[in-house]
Amino acid sequence: MDHRVLSRLAALAVATLLALTTGCTGETVQGRPGASGVRDPFFPKAGNGGYQVEHYSLDLDYDPADGQLHATAVITARAEQGLSSFNLDLSGLEVEGVSVQGEGARFNRTGNELTVRPAEDLEQGEVFRTEVDYSGRPKAVTDPDGSDEGWIVTPGGQGAVGVGEPVGSMAWFPGNHHPSDKATYDITVTVPKGYEAVSNGELRSRTEEGDGRTVFAWHSAEPMASYLATVAVGKFKVTTGRTASGIPLYTAVSPGEAAASEPVLARLPEMVEWGIGRFGPYPFSATGAIVLPAHSLGYALETQTRPVFPGAPGSEELVLHELAHQWFGDSVSPKSWKDMWLNEGFATYAEWLWSEDHGGPTAQQHFDAYLAGDTRVDGEAGSDWGAFPPAAPRNPKEISASPVYGRGAMVLQRVRQEVGDEKFFALVRGWAADHRHGNASTADFTAYAEEKTGRDLTEVWDVWLYGKDRPKAPKDAKDAKDAKASAAP
């Protein structure tokens, strides 16, 4: 059946949709349609119901000269219910064909939803393989806060990068694009000779083809949320090595940013080892960084194993922040986008700990600077960090706002003040270990913190994590003295 013809015949639209949700014969339908979203509080259409992805195999062919992407996505998933149809998130791009379990499947496009109707209903528990052939010029997606994500062409048109927080990955591959569904990945990228193609995980092979193209095959063995997947195409300067504990290091730097990036990236191996000491074993099989041409993006992003920077990183703290996300955000991922403070609060607090351990202001001094608005100690102390509670942003725009970062870190410092260093750092390491490669919510964290430390932290949660009013310093000198004593080593 030719879906392109059907899509042009408005008179058959109702019949087409009906066919997607009923059987082709008069037999009883054993499955039912999977939901078109997971009802995330801020991105209700993100992700899809009825299945969980186990593995993505993406085969991408991209030419910066014309911006065309030709691709095949093979998605291995497990049905969580009997499925008569299911959805994939995909923005733009032309779908040329879909098969499920090796048989051609009907499909329909509505907005960012690709609805697939297998030839046979899928049984609950069945592992099934969906293949999608697609092509076109992938485009950027605009976030609620006005920033661009998705597929970004770098300045001068000499390359491109795929970045996905929160939902931009649907601009370059079909999938279940919500952090609650993590999967392993193989990403193969074919580019013209002279270009590098960099992605997550480990580079399995680099092959020069006879037609003047190069094929890069990347493998991510550990589960990854789709917003953390990346592909960067450009004429990068590549450096490889290992950290002191043997973790493979792969950095790709735009030549124009190499000199400015070198001093900061030179400390990346040291930062990894420091993170292992503070947070526990590094959760992935590789580490590194991608430095794009300046002004490619308006932000850095913690893409798994290989954070992306829009030009030379301006500080050690920025690199450390994105590295800390490998534990907090990438390995321990949020259950919903409302839980973003668990990513950003921990990563900001990691900056404070790095400073504390390397002769700069202590975490307590950063905390005090926020309370006083002292930008001499911390440049972000003057931000509106008290505008809303970090665990309760009011809209999707606010998941990247100051309270999620700064006040999120202050929550952690308040826990440290209450329980002391020994219990606090056992809590941090335990959180990273016990939720490794999984998902967690704010409620999971508060329950875990009280169980791990043996302390009732209700006041911390009520005032700092959920309180609508801007928190204040301890109300009297005795409280301040007690807080300082409990925070001391």
Side-chain angles (χ1 to χ4, degrees):
M1 187 177 293
D2 189 340
H3 72 281
R4 291 168 295 184
V5 173
L6 285 175
S7 68
R8 292 195 295 268
L9 298 176
L12 295 179
V14 174
T16 302
L17 291 174
L18 182 61
L20 288 169
T21 57
T22 59
C24 296
T25 71
E27 298 175 2
T28 302
V29 175
Q30 299 301 313
R32 65 186 191 276
S36 61
V38 297
R39 294 194 175 95
D40 184 274
F42 291 145
F43 300 92
K45 283 294 187 180
N48 301 284
Y51 66 93
Q52 288 280 304
V53 178
E54 295 183 348
H55 184 72
Y56 290 92
S57 180
L58 307 178
D59 191 344
L60 313 174
D61 189 323
Y62 182 73
D63 188 347
D66 60 12
Q68 284 283 338
L69 175 68
H70 299 274
T72 298
V74 178
I75 303 164
T76 303
R78 182 180 297 276
E80 296 191 314
Q81 65 181 56
L83 286 170
S84 59
S85 67
F86 60 91
N87 282 28
L88 297 167
D89 303 312
L90 182 65
S91 176
L93 301 172
E94 179 182 354
V95 177
E96 297 161 346
V98 180
S99 67
V100 178
Q101 300 293 58
E103 295 189 53
R106 289 176 290 171
F107 58 93
N108 182 69
R109 298 292 297 277
T110 304
N112 295 327
E113 299 291 335
L114 170 62
T115 303
V116 178
R117 173 63 169 96
E120 300 288 341
D121 285 4
L122 300 168
E123 297 180 0
Q124 183 176 0
E126 181 177 353
V127 175
F128 63 99
R129 184 177 183 269
T130 303
E131 184 169 323
V132 182
D133 294 317
Y134 61 103
S135 63
R137 287 188 175 88
K139 297 179 180 179
V141 175
T142 301
D143 286 348
D145 67 3
S147 59
D148 285 339
E149 51 169 319
W151 191 264
I152 310 294
V153 176
T154 54
Q158 292 299 304
V161 63
V163 286
E165 188 180 75
V167 295
S169 293
M170 67 180 178
W172 57 282
F173 69 96
N176 200 17
H177 292 305
H178 188 267
S180 61
D181 190 1
K182 302 170 76 168
T184 56
Y185 282 73
D186 281 289
I187 301 178
T188 300
V189 191
T190 301
V191 293
K193 187 175 181 179
Y195 284 87
E196 302 289 328
V198 188
S199 188
N200 313 88
E202 297 180 82
L203 181 62
R204 286 288 179 86
S205 65
R206 171 183 175 146
T207 307
E208 299 289 345
E209 299 283 299
D211 59 357
R213 300 190 301 169
T214 309
V215 182
F216 296 81
W218 293 88
H219 176 69
S220 294
E222 301 90 4
M224 177 165 66
S226 65
Y227 81 91
L228 298 169
T230 190
V231 166
V233 176
K235 296 184 177 181
F236 298 112
K237 176 183 177 182
V238 172
T239 302
T240 61
R242 290 185 180 272
T243 70
S245 60
I247 298 167
L249 177 75
Y250 189 107
T251 61
V253 181
S254 179
E257 306 299 318
S261 299
E262 197 280 330
V264 178
L265 293 184
R267 300 200 70 179
L268 182 56
E270 175 190 352
M271 291 179 183
V272 173
E273 299 303 322
W274 174 85
I276 291 170
R278 277 299 195 186
F279 310 134
Y282 183 72
F284 303 115
S285 60
T287 190
I290 300 169
V291 179
L292 304 171
H295 312 300
S296 297
L297 300 170
Y299 52 87
L301 189 64
E302 63 272 18
T303 43
Q304 193 158 300
T305 69
R306 207 143 286 118
V308 171
F309 299 92
S315 67
E316 289 179 9
E317 288 76 16
L318 177 59
V319 174
L320 192 283
H321 181 103
E322 306 307 335
L323 175 64
H325 274 308
Q326 305 306 305
W327 285 266
F328 308 110
D330 293 14
S331 177
V332 186
S333 301
K335 281 186 178 176
S336 83
W337 287 112
K338 202 167 187 176
D339 298 310
M340 273 288 282
W341 84 274
L342 288 170
N343 294 19
E344 303 301 349
F346 267 99
T348 302
Y349 195 74
E351 293 182 55
W352 295 4
L353 291 177
W354 174 262
S355 170
E356 180 174 303
D357 289 350
H358 292 84
T362 64
Q364 183 63 43
Q365 287 171 327
H366 280 278
F367 178 89
D368 293 339
Y370 266 74
L371 287 172
D374 187 353
T375 56
R376 295 169 300 175
V377 174
D378 191 311
E380 297 298 318
S383 66
D384 191 10
W385 58 266
F388 60 85
R394 296 162 293 192
N395 54 61
K397 181 178 179 179
E398 291 185 342
I399 64 173
S400 296
S402 296
V404 173
Y405 291 71
R407 187 166 161 184
M410 296 173 85
V411 169
L412 297 175
Q413 181 61 14
R414 281 293 294 119
V415 173
R416 184 179 177 185
Q417 290 171 353
E418 290 291 324
V419 306
D421 277 14
E422 182 176 356
K423 288 185 176 181
F424 176 75
F425 287 109
L427 161 64
V428 171
R429 291 173 65 90
W431 177 250
D434 292 346
H435 295 82
R436 183 181 174 96
H437 299 152
N439 294 84
S441 67
T442 297
D444 292 331
F445 176 75
T446 56
Y448 185 88
E450 294 195 353
E451 178 185 359
K452 191 75 173 179
T453 65
R455 294 288 296 272
D456 181 354
L457 298 168
T458 301
E459 185 175 357
V460 175
W461 313 141
D462 288 350
V463 174
W464 291 86
L465 189 55
Y466 289 106
K468 294 183 180 180
D469 297 329
R470 182 186 179 100
K472 298 179 181 179
K475 58 183 178 296
D476 56 41
K478 181 180 182 301
D479 287 347
K481 182 178 179 181
D482 291 344
K484 182 176 180 180
S486 66

